[in-house]
């Protein structure tokens, strides 16, 4: 904004006035009707609820053309939203939450994605947005009363539900970022309190991404430093069966958001900006295999 | 006078994008009287100004990604929306009055200001109003707005305490608002 405009607006604001009645209660009621706030849920599921609300904010700005634009995996924005709803529905099914959309047939991500996308193609993009949001909110409401350690299985992967919901958080975040990039909209980061548990999940997944990527890290230890809001320090035993981490064989320092996105399949491991120390080939193996669990 | 949004703005924006209602309440508490004051200045109608104020915060909640902290403060962004709506309202009122008086001699389409707040002739009036300020006030405003100085730096350059610099700028802003309001009649 140019200086004259700033000067003009500041001049107009130089006489703050208080409205005759407080508009606050009315404002919040009106706001809820325009865009739903993050669904109330358990504290450990709040990072996911926040990313759902952010995706919804992005979709609020989508106009006709935006919905048919290809975002990622050859999917349009509408198909991408259907894909998110499909995977959210699989987690919902695993923990006894309501499953919306077409009846569940095959329970692998790819088939369920196909089923939900086929179902949603017959509906308007705005309806798809509402269906996805309804599924996400139903899942959030159900998790409010669930112990975080409740076992859940998605795509044959068994883990506590609080880890699964953080994986949903990461995927929703990554796809919102994909869509924002296509629309040339700057997406602000989640708050630090939401990034940290997501980064923690990513750090704990490293032994599995290595194994899945064909590298056995048994008996080796990594010290991971993630910088930026929501970052931290982790000492990770790189073998899936290792009892406890030892002295670090290698150290990696990287930006917390970039690290989460690397595990989410965004960014080239070979080009990944990080400081490596100690056993460099081990550190490079960790980075090279980091995306191995990411899929569509 | 930072142009890029401060940390607080960024955090509130992050929270609003993440669907945190209490963040919207905080934005409202912090900025509603400024926005209401602006809307009142332009429309001179308390009821309309209340409606506009409400709408500004609703629009921010509904489409928070339209605001980009890299490009300015939240205060300036909300002020821009409020100004646009207030001006639209005034113009619509004028058209309504004029058409009630009978056929118009010429049609004037309302200008859609996409990225700018001010039309060129309005910007010219603001510059004019600045030049007619008393010298002490004018210098302070020019340093702060056109020279990008902080209050402290303005004080140093004018050889007065920071508080004095600040009150000169605020006095200048009030005078500008009055001058611009008079001309709009």
């Amino acid at each position: 904004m140019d200086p004259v405009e700033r000067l003009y607006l500041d001049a107009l604001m130089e006489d703050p006035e208080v409205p005759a009645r407080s508009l606050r209660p009315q404002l919040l009621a009106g706001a809820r009707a325009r865009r739903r706030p993050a669904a109330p849920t358990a504290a450990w599921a709040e990072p996911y609820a926040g990313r759902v609300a952010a995706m919804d904010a992005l979709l609020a700005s989508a106009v006709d053309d935006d919905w048919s634009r290809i975002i990622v995996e050859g999917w349009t924005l509408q198909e991408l939203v259907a894909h998110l709803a499909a995977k959210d529905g699989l987690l919902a099914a695993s923990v006894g939450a309501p499953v919306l959309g077409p009846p569940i047939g095959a329970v692998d991500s790819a088939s369920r994605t196909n089923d939900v996308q086929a179902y949603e193609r017959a509906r308007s993009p705005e309806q798809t947005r509402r269906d996805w949001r309804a599924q996400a909110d139903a899942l959030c409401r159900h998790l409010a009363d669930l112990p975080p350690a409740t076992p859940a299985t998605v795509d044959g992967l068994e883990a506590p539900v609080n880890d699964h919901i953080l994986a949903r958080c990461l995927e929703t975040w990554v796809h919102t970022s994909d869509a924002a990039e296509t629309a040339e909209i700057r997406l602000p980061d989640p708050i630090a309190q939401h990034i940290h548990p997501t980064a923690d999940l990513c750090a704990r997944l490293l032994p599995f991404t290595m194994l899945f990527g064909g590298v056995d890290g048994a008996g080796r230890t990594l010290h991971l430093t993630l910088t930026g809001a929501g970052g931290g320090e982790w000492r990770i035993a790189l073998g899936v069966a290792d009892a406890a981490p030892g002295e670090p064989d290698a150290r990696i320092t990287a930006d917390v958001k970039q690290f989460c996105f690397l595990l989410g399949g965004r960014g080239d491991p070979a080009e990944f900006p990080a400081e490596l120390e100690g056993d460099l080939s081990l550190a490079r193996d960790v980075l090279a295999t980091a995306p191995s669990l990411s899929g569509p | 006078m930072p142009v890029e949004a401060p940390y607080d703005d960024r955090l509130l924006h992050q929270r609003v994008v993440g669907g945190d209602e209490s963040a919207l309440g905080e934005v409202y508490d912090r900025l509603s009287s400024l926005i209401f004051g602006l809307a009142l200045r332009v429309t001179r109608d308390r009821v309309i100004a209340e409606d506009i104020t409400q709408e500004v915060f609703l629009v921010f909640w509904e489409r928070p990604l339209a605001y980009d902290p890299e490009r300015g403060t939240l205060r300036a962004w909300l002020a821009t929306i409020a100004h646009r709506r207030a001006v639209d309202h005034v113009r619509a009122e004028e058209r309504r009055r004029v058409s009630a008086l009978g056929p118009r001699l010429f049609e004037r389409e309302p200008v859609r200001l996409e990225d700018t707040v001010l039309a060129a002739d309005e910007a010219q009036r603001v510059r004019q109003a600045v030049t007619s300020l008393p010298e002490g006030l004018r210098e302070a405003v020019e340093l702060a707005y056109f020279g990008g100085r902080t209050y402290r730096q303005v004080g140093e350059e004018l050889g007065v305490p920071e508080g004095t610099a600040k009150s000169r700028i605020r006095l200048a802003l009030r005078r500008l608002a009055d001058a611009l309001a008079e001309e709009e009649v």
Side-chain angles (χ1 to χ4, degrees), chain B residues 114-129:
Chain B
E114 279 318 322
D115 281 314
T116 56
V117 173
L118 289 169
D121 60 327
E122 287 174 314
Q124 189 50 44
R125 284 197 316 145
V126 176
R127 285 196 197 89
Q128 192 60 49

Side-chain angles (χ1 to χ4, degrees), chain A residues 263-281:
Chain A
L263 269 93
R266 296 296 177 273
D268 176 0
E271 301 284 308
F272 187 72
E275 265 176 68
L276 312 181
E277 290 170 71
D279 183 341
L280 298 184
S281 86

Side-chain angles (χ1 to χ4, degrees), chain A:
Chain A
M1 185 178 291
D2 82 42
V4 176
E5 290 180 347
R6 267 197 310 131
L7 178 58
Y8 174 70
L9 291 177
D10 284 354
L12 288 178
M13 287 193 285
E14 195 44 44
D15 275 338
E17 277 265 5
V18 181
R21 57 211 161 88
S22 171
L23 306 170
R24 207 178 191 273
Q26 217 183 321
L27 172 75
L28 293 180
R32 271 177 225 133
R34 296 259 191 122
R35 174 170 75 99
R36 255 190 280 175
T41 187
W44 44 267
E46 280 172 6
Y48 167 76
R51 284 308 86 198
V52 167
M55 180 63 159
D56 210 17
L58 183 76
L59 299 178
S61 304
V63 292
D64 297 355
D65 296 349
D66 296 327
W67 287 103
S68 51
R69 230 171 253 139
I70 302 291
I71 308 291
V72 71
E73 308 288 339
W75 293 331
T76 62
L77 181 58
Q78 185 178 10
E79 288 164 335
L80 179 66
V81 172
H83 164 70
L84 287 173
K87 290 185 78 172
D88 289 344
L90 289 180
L91 179 56
S94 173
V95 294
V99 179
L100 310 178
I104 287 223
V107 293
D108 63 290
S109 288
S111 311
R112 179 64 184 165
T113 293
N114 285 335
D115 292 350
V116 177
Q117 285 177 337
Y119 171 85
E120 291 295 344
R121 272 185 210 108
R123 297 153 81 79
S124 71
E126 214 30 69
Q127 187 60 56
T128 299
R129 175 188 171 195
R130 279 196 294 272
D131 291 347
W132 157 77
R133 183 72 206 246
Q135 175 66 77
D137 286 5
L139 178 58
C140 283
R141 277 192 299 275
H142 185 82
L143 296 180
D145 309 316
L146 219 57
T150 307
T153 305
V154 176
D155 266 342
L157 211 70
E158 191 185 309
V161 68
N162 63 335
D163 279 351
H164 272 296
I165 203 69
L166 289 170
R168 298 306 310 129
C169 165
L170 177 60
E171 185 170 1
T172 307
W173 181 14
V174 166
H175 284 324
T176 305
S177 167
D178 291 338
E181 224 164 277
T182 304
E184 294 181 342
I185 288 173
R186 198 192 308 274
L187 180 74
D189 291 339
I191 56 173
Q193 298 91 310
H194 290 179
I195 290 182
H196 187 76
T198 312
D200 180 68
L201 171 74
C202 291
R204 288 184 290 111
L205 280 174
L206 290 177
F208 300 93
T209 54
M210 279 186 84
L211 198 61
F212 214 72
V215 181
D216 187 1
R220 315 302 305 281
T221 294
L222 174 77
H223 188 95
L224 178 67
T225 303
L226 296 178
T227 57
E233 308 265 341
W234 286 263
R235 187 161 290 194
I236 306 147
L238 291 172
V240 291
D242 288 356
E247 282 304 302
D249 299 289
R251 293 171 181 270
I252 297 177
T253 302
D255 171 78
V256 64
K257 179 187 160 183
Q258 287 178 327
F259 176 77
C260 290
F261 272 55
L262 182 70
L263 269 93
R266 296 296 177 273
D268 176 0
E271 301 284 308
F272 187 72
E275 265 176 68
L276 312 181
E277 290 170 71
D279 183 341
L280 298 184
S281 86
L282 176 66
R284 284 195 201 99
D285 280 346
V286 170
L287 293 178
T289 54
S292 67
L293 285 173
S294 70

Side-chain angles (χ1 to χ4, degrees), chain B residues 139-184:
Chain B
E139 279 181 328
V141 159
E142 284 178 345
L143 285 171
Y145 282 87
F146 302 99
R149 312 287 205 285
T150 62
Y151 290 129
R152 194 174 52 76
Q153 291 167 328
V154 172
E156 279 169 9
E157 296 199 31
L158 297 180
V160 298
E162 184 181 343
T164 307
K166 194 171 177 173
S167 52
R168 278 190 197 177
I169 290 166
R170 300 202 55 176
L171 183 58
L173 290 173
R174 268 198 295 280
R175 287 207 180 199
L176 283 177
D178 291 335
L180 293 166
E182 271 166 34
E183 286 183 35
E184 271 167 22

